Amino acid sequence: HSPFPEWRWSPYFRLGAGKIQTKPRANLVQSGEETRSNDLLSASVGVRYYLTQNFVLKLEYQNLVVLTERDENEELEEWKLGFAVFF
C-alpha cells in the first residue's frame, strides 16, 4: 500500500503470505528427506524516490517468517535497493 503516491518521497508498506518449498540436496543432507513445504509470512516497509516521472529509486526492508513444524520458526531479514525505469 502506498498512502501518498503523489509525493516525490513516497513511503509504502506490504504484507504477504505464501508457501516456500525446500528440496534438500543429497550432498548437503541425508537423501531420505523429501521436499518440505512451509508457510511464509512477510512484512515490508520502504520508500520510493521519483528522480523524474519515469525513473524511480527504491529502498525497502523486508522481514520474513517461515512457519516450520519444529519448535522454532525461521526469521529472515532482507534489505533491497533498486532502480526502476518506466516507458
PDB file of all heavy atoms in Angstrom, residues 1 3-6 10-11 22-23 27 35 39 43 51 53-56 61-62 69-70 72 77 80-81 84-86:
ATOM      1  N   HIS A   1       0.847  -1.168   0.000  1.00  0.00           N
ATOM      2  CA  HIS A   1       0.000   0.000   0.000  1.00  0.00           C
ATOM      3  C   HIS A   1       0.889   1.225   0.000  1.00  0.00           C
ATOM      4  O   HIS A   1       1.869   1.305   0.722  1.00  0.00           O
ATOM      5  CB  HIS A   1      -0.911  -0.018   1.221  1.00  0.00           C
ATOM      6  CG  HIS A   1      -1.804   1.163   1.299  1.00  0.00           C
ATOM      7  ND1 HIS A   1      -2.800   1.381   0.399  1.00  0.00           N
ATOM      8  CD2 HIS A   1      -1.834   2.187   2.160  1.00  0.00           C
ATOM      9  CE1 HIS A   1      -3.414   2.515   0.730  1.00  0.00           C
ATOM     10  NE2 HIS A   1      -2.848   3.004   1.797  1.00  0.00           N
ATOM     11  N   PRO A   3       0.358   5.090   0.703  1.00  0.00           N
ATOM     12  CA  PRO A   3      -0.638   6.068   1.124  1.00  0.00           C
ATOM     13  C   PRO A   3      -0.513   7.430   0.443  1.00  0.00           C
ATOM     14  O   PRO A   3      -1.491   8.158   0.355  1.00  0.00           O
ATOM     15  CB  PRO A   3      -0.425   6.188   2.634  1.00  0.00           C
ATOM     16  CG  PRO A   3       0.950   5.707   2.890  1.00  0.00           C
ATOM     17  CD  PRO A   3       1.272   4.741   1.791  1.00  0.00           C
ATOM     18  N   PHE A   4       0.691   7.790  -0.026  1.00  0.00           N
ATOM     19  CA  PHE A   4       0.892   9.097  -0.649  1.00  0.00           C
ATOM     20  C   PHE A   4       1.644   8.945  -1.976  1.00  0.00           C
ATOM     21  O   PHE A   4       2.794   9.355  -2.095  1.00  0.00           O
ATOM     22  CB  PHE A   4       1.676  10.024   0.292  1.00  0.00           C
ATOM     23  CG  PHE A   4       1.070  10.114   1.668  1.00  0.00           C
ATOM     24  CD1 PHE A   4       1.648   9.443   2.739  1.00  0.00           C
ATOM     25  CD2 PHE A   4      -0.074  10.848   1.881  1.00  0.00           C
ATOM     26  CE1 PHE A   4       1.099   9.514   4.011  1.00  0.00           C
ATOM     27  CE2 PHE A   4      -0.640  10.917   3.146  1.00  0.00           C
ATOM     28  CZ  PHE A   4      -0.057  10.258   4.215  1.00  0.00           C
ATOM     29  N   PRO A   5       1.041   8.358  -2.997  1.00  0.00           N
ATOM     30  CA  PRO A   5       1.753   8.087  -4.248  1.00  0.00           C
ATOM     31  C   PRO A   5       2.156   9.347  -5.014  1.00  0.00           C
ATOM     32  O   PRO A   5       3.063   9.305  -5.841  1.00  0.00           O
ATOM     33  CB  PRO A   5       0.762   7.250  -5.054  1.00  0.00           C
ATOM     34  CG  PRO A   5      -0.580   7.588  -4.496  1.00  0.00           C
ATOM     35  CD  PRO A   5      -0.344   7.922  -3.046  1.00  0.00           C
ATOM     36  N   GLU A   6       1.541  10.469  -4.723  1.00  0.00           N
ATOM     37  CA  GLU A   6       1.858  11.706  -5.454  1.00  0.00           C
ATOM     38  C   GLU A   6       3.098  12.413  -4.897  1.00  0.00           C
ATOM     39  O   GLU A   6       3.629  13.326  -5.533  1.00  0.00           O
ATOM     40  CB  GLU A   6       0.656  12.659  -5.469  1.00  0.00           C
ATOM     41  CG  GLU A   6       0.284  13.248  -4.128  1.00  0.00           C
ATOM     42  CD  GLU A   6      -0.537  12.312  -3.234  1.00  0.00           C
ATOM     43  OE1 GLU A   6      -0.938  11.229  -3.655  1.00  0.00           O
ATOM     44  OE2 GLU A   6      -0.760  12.705  -2.082  1.00  0.00           O
ATOM     45  N   SER A  10       7.887   8.770  -1.579  1.00  0.00           N
ATOM     46  CA  SER A  10       6.620   8.080  -1.346  1.00  0.00           C
ATOM     47  C   SER A  10       6.829   6.835  -0.480  1.00  0.00           C
ATOM     48  O   SER A  10       7.392   5.845  -0.935  1.00  0.00           O
ATOM     49  CB  SER A  10       6.010   7.682  -2.690  1.00  0.00           C
ATOM     50  OG  SER A  10       4.811   6.997  -2.517  1.00  0.00           O
ATOM     51  N   PRO A  11       6.383   6.866   0.787  1.00  0.00           N
ATOM     52  CA  PRO A  11       6.513   5.672   1.641  1.00  0.00           C
ATOM     53  C   PRO A  11       5.475   4.621   1.248  1.00  0.00           C
ATOM     54  O   PRO A  11       4.424   4.936   0.705  1.00  0.00           O
ATOM     55  CB  PRO A  11       6.243   6.209   3.042  1.00  0.00           C
ATOM     56  CG  PRO A  11       5.363   7.386   2.815  1.00  0.00           C
ATOM     57  CD  PRO A  11       5.770   7.977   1.490  1.00  0.00           C
ATOM     58  N   THR A  22      11.217 -26.403   0.014  1.00  0.00           N
ATOM     59  CA  THR A  22      12.644 -26.668   0.144  1.00  0.00           C
ATOM     60  C   THR A  22      12.906 -28.092  -0.316  1.00  0.00           C
ATOM     61  O   THR A  22      12.293 -29.035   0.197  1.00  0.00           O
ATOM     62  CB  THR A  22      13.099 -26.504   1.606  1.00  0.00           C
ATOM     63  OG1 THR A  22      12.689 -25.216   2.054  1.00  0.00           O
ATOM     64  CG2 THR A  22      14.590 -26.639   1.733  1.00  0.00           C
ATOM     65  N   LYS A  23      13.800 -28.231  -1.286  1.00  0.00           N
ATOM     66  CA  LYS A  23      14.158 -29.545  -1.789  1.00  0.00           C
ATOM     67  C   LYS A  23      15.609 -29.802  -1.397  1.00  0.00           C
ATOM     68  O   LYS A  23      16.523 -29.211  -1.981  1.00  0.00           O
ATOM     69  CB  LYS A  23      13.989 -29.583  -3.307  1.00  0.00           C
ATOM     70  CG  LYS A  23      14.101 -30.940  -3.906  1.00  0.00           C
ATOM     71  CD  LYS A  23      13.765 -30.879  -5.381  1.00  0.00           C
ATOM     72  CE  LYS A  23      13.658 -32.283  -5.922  1.00  0.00           C
ATOM     73  NZ  LYS A  23      13.216 -32.249  -7.324  1.00  0.00           N
ATOM     74  N   ASN A  27      23.948 -33.995  -1.422  1.00  0.00           N
ATOM     75  CA  ASN A  27      25.300 -33.809  -0.894  1.00  0.00           C
ATOM     76  C   ASN A  27      25.316 -32.947   0.365  1.00  0.00           C
ATOM     77  O   ASN A  27      26.336 -32.845   1.026  1.00  0.00           O
ATOM     78  CB  ASN A  27      26.223 -33.213  -1.962  1.00  0.00           C
ATOM     79  CG  ASN A  27      25.716 -31.880  -2.464  1.00  0.00           C
ATOM     80  OD1 ASN A  27      24.587 -31.496  -2.205  1.00  0.00           O
ATOM     81  ND2 ASN A  27      26.545 -31.177  -3.206  1.00  0.00           N
ATOM     82  N   THR A  35      10.928 -33.326  -0.167  1.00  0.00           N
ATOM     83  CA  THR A  35      10.717 -31.893  -0.303  1.00  0.00           C
ATOM     84  C   THR A  35       9.793 -31.414   0.816  1.00  0.00           C
ATOM     85  O   THR A  35       8.757 -32.019   1.077  1.00  0.00           O
ATOM     86  CB  THR A  35      10.096 -31.567  -1.675  1.00  0.00           C
ATOM     87  OG1 THR A  35      10.975 -32.045  -2.679  1.00  0.00           O
ATOM     88  CG2 THR A  35       9.867 -30.090  -1.845  1.00  0.00           C
ATOM     89  N   ASP A  39       4.680 -22.653   5.391  1.00  0.00           N
ATOM     90  CA  ASP A  39       4.021 -21.366   5.187  1.00  0.00           C
ATOM     91  C   ASP A  39       5.012 -20.240   5.424  1.00  0.00           C
ATOM     92  O   ASP A  39       5.957 -20.373   6.206  1.00  0.00           O
ATOM     93  CB  ASP A  39       2.832 -21.218   6.136  1.00  0.00           C
ATOM     94  CG  ASP A  39       1.720 -22.189   5.802  1.00  0.00           C
ATOM     95  OD1 ASP A  39       1.549 -22.502   4.610  1.00  0.00           O
ATOM     96  OD2 ASP A  39       1.026 -22.633   6.732  1.00  0.00           O
ATOM     97  N   ALA A  43       6.469  -8.981   5.889  1.00  0.00           N
ATOM     98  CA  ALA A  43       6.064  -7.592   6.094  1.00  0.00           C
ATOM     99  C   ALA A  43       7.214  -6.714   5.606  1.00  0.00           C
ATOM    100  O   ALA A  43       8.380  -7.020   5.862  1.00  0.00           O
ATOM    101  CB  ALA A  43       5.764  -7.323   7.558  1.00  0.00           C
ATOM    102  N   LEU A  51      13.002  10.196  -9.213  1.00  0.00           N
ATOM    103  CA  LEU A  51      14.024  11.083  -9.778  1.00  0.00           C
ATOM    104  C   LEU A  51      13.412  11.960 -10.862  1.00  0.00           C
ATOM    105  O   LEU A  51      13.640  13.167 -10.896  1.00  0.00           O
ATOM    106  CB  LEU A  51      15.180  10.257 -10.343  1.00  0.00           C
ATOM    107  CG  LEU A  51      15.911   9.375  -9.325  1.00  0.00           C
ATOM    108  CD1 LEU A  51      16.819   8.398 -10.037  1.00  0.00           C
ATOM    109  CD2 LEU A  51      16.698  10.237  -8.364  1.00  0.00           C
ATOM    110  N   GLN A  53       9.718  11.563 -13.809  1.00  0.00           N
ATOM    111  CA  GLN A  53       8.449  10.844 -13.936  1.00  0.00           C
ATOM    112  C   GLN A  53       8.673   9.373 -14.288  1.00  0.00           C
ATOM    113  O   GLN A  53       7.900   8.519 -13.881  1.00  0.00           O
ATOM    114  CB  GLN A  53       7.587  11.506 -15.006  1.00  0.00           C
ATOM    115  CG  GLN A  53       6.206  10.896 -15.130  1.00  0.00           C
ATOM    116  CD  GLN A  53       5.350  11.630 -16.136  1.00  0.00           C
ATOM    117  OE1 GLN A  53       5.768  12.626 -16.707  1.00  0.00           O
ATOM    118  NE2 GLN A  53       4.169  11.135 -16.369  1.00  0.00           N
ATOM    119  N   ASN A  54       9.742   9.047 -15.031  1.00  0.00           N
ATOM    120  CA  ASN A  54       9.977   7.681 -15.487  1.00  0.00           C
ATOM    121  C   ASN A  54      11.114   6.950 -14.778  1.00  0.00           C
ATOM    122  O   ASN A  54      11.407   5.815 -15.116  1.00  0.00           O
ATOM    123  CB  ASN A  54      10.259   7.678 -16.990  1.00  0.00           C
ATOM    124  CG  ASN A  54       9.059   8.133 -17.788  1.00  0.00           C
ATOM    125  OD1 ASN A  54       7.939   8.111 -17.303  1.00  0.00           O
ATOM    126  ND2 ASN A  54       9.293   8.563 -19.009  1.00  0.00           N
ATOM    127  N   PHE A  55      11.796   7.574 -13.819  1.00  0.00           N
ATOM    128  CA  PHE A  55      12.912   6.955 -13.120  1.00  0.00           C
ATOM    129  C   PHE A  55      12.654   6.977 -11.612  1.00  0.00           C
ATOM    130  O   PHE A  55      12.401   8.039 -11.042  1.00  0.00           O
ATOM    131  CB  PHE A  55      14.225   7.687 -13.420  1.00  0.00           C
ATOM    132  CG  PHE A  55      14.620   7.624 -14.867  1.00  0.00           C
ATOM    133  CD1 PHE A  55      14.296   8.642 -15.739  1.00  0.00           C
ATOM    134  CD2 PHE A  55      15.320   6.525 -15.353  1.00  0.00           C
ATOM    135  CE1 PHE A  55      14.653   8.579 -17.062  1.00  0.00           C
ATOM    136  CE2 PHE A  55      15.688   6.451 -16.675  1.00  0.00           C
ATOM    137  CZ  PHE A  55      15.352   7.481 -17.539  1.00  0.00           C
ATOM    138  N   VAL A  56      12.738   5.793 -10.988  1.00  0.00           N
ATOM    139  CA  VAL A  56      12.418   5.662  -9.565  1.00  0.00           C
ATOM    140  C   VAL A  56      13.552   4.935  -8.850  1.00  0.00           C
ATOM    141  O   VAL A  56      14.052   3.914  -9.320  1.00  0.00           O
ATOM    142  CB  VAL A  56      11.109   4.871  -9.359  1.00  0.00           C
ATOM    143  CG1 VAL A  56      10.799   4.702  -7.885  1.00  0.00           C
ATOM    144  CG2 VAL A  56       9.962   5.545 -10.059  1.00  0.00           C
ATOM    145  N   TYR A  61      12.967  -2.553   3.348  1.00  0.00           N
ATOM    146  CA  TYR A  61      13.341  -3.531   4.359  1.00  0.00           C
ATOM    147  C   TYR A  61      12.214  -4.548   4.444  1.00  0.00           C
ATOM    148  O   TYR A  61      11.041  -4.181   4.535  1.00  0.00           O
ATOM    149  CB  TYR A  61      13.537  -2.869   5.728  1.00  0.00           C
ATOM    150  CG  TYR A  61      13.653  -3.869   6.849  1.00  0.00           C
ATOM    151  CD1 TYR A  61      14.823  -4.582   7.037  1.00  0.00           C
ATOM    152  CD2 TYR A  61      12.577  -4.121   7.682  1.00  0.00           C
ATOM    153  CE1 TYR A  61      14.922  -5.518   8.063  1.00  0.00           C
ATOM    154  CE2 TYR A  61      12.664  -5.048   8.699  1.00  0.00           C
ATOM    155  CZ  TYR A  61      13.842  -5.748   8.878  1.00  0.00           C
ATOM    156  OH  TYR A  61      13.933  -6.676   9.878  1.00  0.00           O
ATOM    157  N   GLN A  62      12.572  -5.836   4.410  1.00  0.00           N
ATOM    158  CA  GLN A  62      11.562  -6.898   4.471  1.00  0.00           C
ATOM    159  C   GLN A  62      11.922  -7.890   5.558  1.00  0.00           C
ATOM    160  O   GLN A  62      13.077  -8.305   5.697  1.00  0.00           O
ATOM    161  CB  GLN A  62      11.476  -7.614   3.129  1.00  0.00           C
ATOM    162  CG  GLN A  62      10.390  -8.651   3.066  1.00  0.00           C
ATOM    163  CD  GLN A  62      10.223  -9.231   1.666  1.00  0.00           C
ATOM    164  OE1 GLN A  62      11.147  -9.224   0.872  1.00  0.00           O
ATOM    165  NE2 GLN A  62       9.044  -9.701   1.377  1.00  0.00           N
ATOM    166  N   GLU A  69       7.577 -26.828  11.198  1.00  0.00           N
ATOM    167  CA  GLU A  69       6.980 -27.818  12.097  1.00  0.00           C
ATOM    168  C   GLU A  69       7.843 -28.035  13.331  1.00  0.00           C
ATOM    169  O   GLU A  69       7.431 -28.711  14.258  1.00  0.00           O
ATOM    170  CB  GLU A  69       6.795 -29.135  11.346  1.00  0.00           C
ATOM    171  CG  GLU A  69       5.785 -29.020  10.221  1.00  0.00           C
ATOM    172  CD  GLU A  69       5.703 -30.292   9.395  1.00  0.00           C
ATOM    173  OE1 GLU A  69       6.484 -31.229   9.650  1.00  0.00           O
ATOM    174  OE2 GLU A  69       4.859 -30.326   8.493  1.00  0.00           O
ATOM    175  N   ARG A  70       9.025 -27.463  13.351  1.00  0.00           N
ATOM    176  CA  ARG A  70       9.910 -27.589  14.505  1.00  0.00           C
ATOM    177  C   ARG A  70       9.458 -26.632  15.612  1.00  0.00           C
ATOM    178  O   ARG A  70       8.510 -25.863  15.443  1.00  0.00           O
ATOM    179  CB  ARG A  70      11.343 -27.267  14.076  1.00  0.00           C
ATOM    180  CG  ARG A  70      11.853 -28.206  13.000  1.00  0.00           C
ATOM    181  CD  ARG A  70      13.286 -27.896  12.690  1.00  0.00           C
ATOM    182  NE  ARG A  70      13.486 -26.513  12.301  1.00  0.00           N
ATOM    183  CZ  ARG A  70      13.810 -26.117  11.094  1.00  0.00           C
ATOM    184  NH1 ARG A  70      13.974 -26.984  10.129  1.00  0.00           N
ATOM    185  NH2 ARG A  70      13.998 -24.848  10.822  1.00  0.00           N
ATOM    186  N   GLU A  72      10.947 -24.043  16.627  1.00  0.00           N
ATOM    187  CA  GLU A  72      11.382 -22.675  16.376  1.00  0.00           C
ATOM    188  C   GLU A  72      11.136 -22.287  14.922  1.00  0.00           C
ATOM    189  O   GLU A  72      11.528 -23.009  14.009  1.00  0.00           O
ATOM    190  CB  GLU A  72      12.880 -22.576  16.677  1.00  0.00           C
ATOM    191  CG  GLU A  72      13.314 -21.198  17.086  1.00  0.00           C
ATOM    192  CD  GLU A  72      14.730 -21.237  17.615  1.00  0.00           C
ATOM    193  OE1 GLU A  72      14.963 -21.811  18.688  1.00  0.00           O
ATOM    194  OE2 GLU A  72      15.595 -20.693  16.916  1.00  0.00           O
ATOM    195  N   GLU A  77      15.746 -11.530   7.357  1.00  0.00           N
ATOM    196  CA  GLU A  77      15.655 -10.090   7.097  1.00  0.00           C
ATOM    197  C   GLU A  77      16.321  -9.801   5.761  1.00  0.00           C
ATOM    198  O   GLU A  77      17.319 -10.422   5.410  1.00  0.00           O
ATOM    199  CB  GLU A  77      16.354  -9.303   8.195  1.00  0.00           C
ATOM    200  CG  GLU A  77      15.683  -9.434   9.543  1.00  0.00           C
ATOM    201  CD  GLU A  77      16.381  -8.635  10.612  1.00  0.00           C
ATOM    202  OE1 GLU A  77      17.558  -8.268  10.428  1.00  0.00           O
ATOM    203  OE2 GLU A  77      15.754  -8.363  11.644  1.00  0.00           O
ATOM    204  N   LYS A  80      16.741  -4.136   0.393  1.00  0.00           N
ATOM    205  CA  LYS A  80      16.786  -4.023  -1.067  1.00  0.00           C
ATOM    206  C   LYS A  80      16.995  -2.567  -1.451  1.00  0.00           C
ATOM    207  O   LYS A  80      16.409  -1.664  -0.857  1.00  0.00           O
ATOM    208  CB  LYS A  80      15.479  -4.493  -1.701  1.00  0.00           C
ATOM    209  CG  LYS A  80      15.162  -5.933  -1.489  1.00  0.00           C
ATOM    210  CD  LYS A  80      13.837  -6.253  -2.146  1.00  0.00           C
ATOM    211  CE  LYS A  80      13.322  -7.594  -1.742  1.00  0.00           C
ATOM    212  NZ  LYS A  80      12.002  -7.870  -2.310  1.00  0.00           N
ATOM    213  N   LEU A  81      17.809  -2.353  -2.449  1.00  0.00           N
ATOM    214  CA  LEU A  81      17.997  -1.049  -3.071  1.00  0.00           C
ATOM    215  C   LEU A  81      17.838  -1.270  -4.559  1.00  0.00           C
ATOM    216  O   LEU A  81      18.510  -2.131  -5.146  1.00  0.00           O
ATOM    217  CB  LEU A  81      19.385  -0.477  -2.754  1.00  0.00           C
ATOM    218  CG  LEU A  81      19.725   0.867  -3.362  1.00  0.00           C
ATOM    219  CD1 LEU A  81      18.767   1.944  -2.861  1.00  0.00           C
ATOM    220  CD2 LEU A  81      21.146   1.232  -3.056  1.00  0.00           C
ATOM    221  N   ALA A  84      14.210   1.660 -10.972  1.00  0.00           N
ATOM    222  CA  ALA A  84      13.191   1.255 -11.949  1.00  0.00           C
ATOM    223  C   ALA A  84      13.062   2.317 -13.035  1.00  0.00           C
ATOM    224  O   ALA A  84      13.216   3.509 -12.769  1.00  0.00           O
ATOM    225  CB  ALA A  84      11.849   1.056 -11.270  1.00  0.00           C
ATOM    226  N   VAL A  85      12.796   1.857 -14.252  1.00  0.00           N
ATOM    227  CA  VAL A  85      12.609   2.735 -15.404  1.00  0.00           C
ATOM    228  C   VAL A  85      11.273   2.384 -16.038  1.00  0.00           C
ATOM    229  O   VAL A  85      10.973   1.218 -16.275  1.00  0.00           O
ATOM    230  CB  VAL A  85      13.746   2.540 -16.437  1.00  0.00           C
ATOM    231  CG1 VAL A  85      13.524   3.416 -17.649  1.00  0.00           C
ATOM    232  CG2 VAL A  85      15.090   2.795 -15.807  1.00  0.00           C
ATOM    233  N   PHE A  86      10.450   3.381 -16.293  1.00  0.00           N
ATOM    234  CA  PHE A  86       9.148   3.192 -16.934  1.00  0.00           C
ATOM    235  C   PHE A  86       9.170   3.823 -18.320  1.00  0.00           C
ATOM    236  O   PHE A  86       9.684   4.930 -18.492  1.00  0.00           O
ATOM    237  CB  PHE A  86       8.021   3.848 -16.113  1.00  0.00           C
ATOM    238  CG  PHE A  86       7.930   3.327 -14.713  1.00  0.00           C
ATOM    239  CD1 PHE A  86       8.495   4.021 -13.662  1.00  0.00           C
ATOM    240  CD2 PHE A  86       7.283   2.132 -14.458  1.00  0.00           C
ATOM    241  CE1 PHE A  86       8.406   3.543 -12.368  1.00  0.00           C
ATOM    242  CE2 PHE A  86       7.183   1.647 -13.163  1.00  0.00           C
ATOM    243  CZ  PHE A  86       7.743   2.343 -12.131  1.00  0.00           C
TER     244      PHE A  86
END
